[in-house]
Amino acid sequence: MKSERISPFWVNGYQPFSAGKAIEYTYTLLPRLSRYVNDGRIEIDDNRIENAIRPLALGRKNYLFCGNDASAYRAAIVYSLIATCKSAEVDPRIWMEDVLSKIPYYERDEKNMEELLPRNWAKSNQTCSE
């Protein structure tokens, strides 16, 4: 009889046909889907993360056209430094102009090049401008 063929996963009276399967699937995911309601720290979407990694995804596609391995390696270094500038809230152009002018003096005087990294550079320039 018909009642013997009814799926044990009945949800609110829907039988397991295409819409019923979709509802059944959603119902099994309900605890995970509603987690953001129970915990206010969790956001319903991941737009900020998506926007943050978009340049990396685009760059990955562009790296295919660097010409050779050495060029790709150098491009990756430059992209990493620019991303580090952005995360340290440093203008990449100002940082690069300043650092490129200082590198010969740092090499000559055997100074610590880590001082020129964006985060360290920002700290030293912040104290100079105050």
Side-chain angles (χ1 to χ4, degrees), residues 44-60:
I44 192 169
D45 62 28
D46 61 352
N47 285 339
R48 278 195 290 169
I49 294 169
E50 296 261 344
N51 290 337
I53 65 172
R54 183 171 291 117
L56 298 174
L58 291 173
R60 212 178 6 216

Side-chain angles (χ1 to χ4, degrees), residues 9 11 20-33:
F9 294 104
V11 179
K21 287 182 182 180
I23 291 170
E24 178 182 327
Y25 175 74
T26 305
Y27 188 73
T28 60
L29 294 177
L30 195 57
R32 288 189 274 169
L33 290 171

